[in-house]
Amino acid sequence: FLYCGIYSIPSADDYFYANFVKEHGIIGAQIEYYFGWSGRYIATFLITLFSLTRYEYYWLIPITCILSVLLSFHLFVRTLFFEIRDQLDLRVLSITFIALYLSVTTAGYGHGVAVINEGYFWFSGAITYAGSLTLYLLLISSFIWMLRGVYSSINFFISIVLTSLTIGLNETAMFLVALTI
């Protein structure tokens, strides 16, 4: 998956967002999208901001996406099993999870993302879905540390920031955050 990501290219909405930014400017595009299309203010901001790079670094999207999900899941597992972390090989568990996650979500029609580039190799899909999963796992980890009383004020601040970022990526993540809180 990481190797294939080197060959990813912009498609579909990427061009639409780039043209929209050309017409309305970066701030105007944010306002138009928020009020006229969707409340995904973080996803829209990142997508339109990335369009200003002329997609020269598009190959970084799947690499960043896959590694961020892997690392956030690893942190989540380390947080969850903190007391027994030395007795388990959490790296193997994390790598197994990401391999299973990538395989299941790209299994084909009726089993996840129908086209592999929609979930990992396309910026709009990657930031909206994998990005929200990454931030949600970080948010849960921060909640757990806050409830354990470890650096409560810092984790409270981090939780507020992660909550506002996560709910701005997609609606499903917003409902997950609401249910979690």
Side-chain angles (χ1 to χ4, degrees), residues 3 12 14 16 21 23 35 38 43 48 54 57-58 60 67 70 72 83 85 94 98 123 127 135 146 152 154 158 169:
Y3 178 74
D14 297 324
F16 178 76
V21 169
E23 292 173 14
F35 289 111
S38 119
T48 54
R54 300 179 187 252
Y57 304 103
Y58 206 84
L60 282 172
L67 291 178
L70 173 67
S72 64
E83 299 294 324
R85 71 185 182 284
S94 299
I98 197 70
F123 189 67
I127 196 63
L135 292 181
M146 186 172 55
S152 294
I154 293 171
I158 291 170
L169 286 172

Side-chain angles (χ1 to χ4, degrees), residues 77-93:
V77 170
R78 282 186 60 86
T79 300
L80 203 57
F81 299 113
F82 187 74
E83 299 294 324
I84 59 170
R85 71 185 182 284
D86 296 332
Q87 300 166 5
L88 302 172
D89 192 353
L90 298 177
R91 291 172 299 178
V92 172
L93 178 63

Side-chain angles (χ1 to χ4, degrees), residues 41-109:
Y41 54 90
I42 296 298
T44 303
F45 175 72
L46 292 173
I47 292 165
T48 54
L49 188 65
F50 193 69
S51 74
L52 297 176
T53 67
R54 300 179 187 252
Y55 304 119
E56 293 176 43
Y57 304 103
Y58 206 84
W59 56 272
L60 282 172
I61 293 165
I63 294 168
T64 304
C65 168
I66 292 168
L67 291 178
S68 66
V69 170
L70 173 67
L71 295 174
S72 64
F73 182 76
H74 183 71
L75 175 69
F76 172 70
V77 170
R78 282 186 60 86
T79 300
L80 203 57
F81 299 113
F82 187 74
E83 299 294 324
I84 59 170
R85 71 185 182 284
D86 296 332
Q87 300 166 5
L88 302 172
D89 192 353
L90 298 177
R91 291 172 299 178
V92 172
L93 178 63
S94 299
I95 290 171
T96 303
F97 167 78
I98 197 70
L100 181 63
Y101 174 74
L102 289 170
S103 299
V104 167
T105 57
T106 59
Y109 182 75

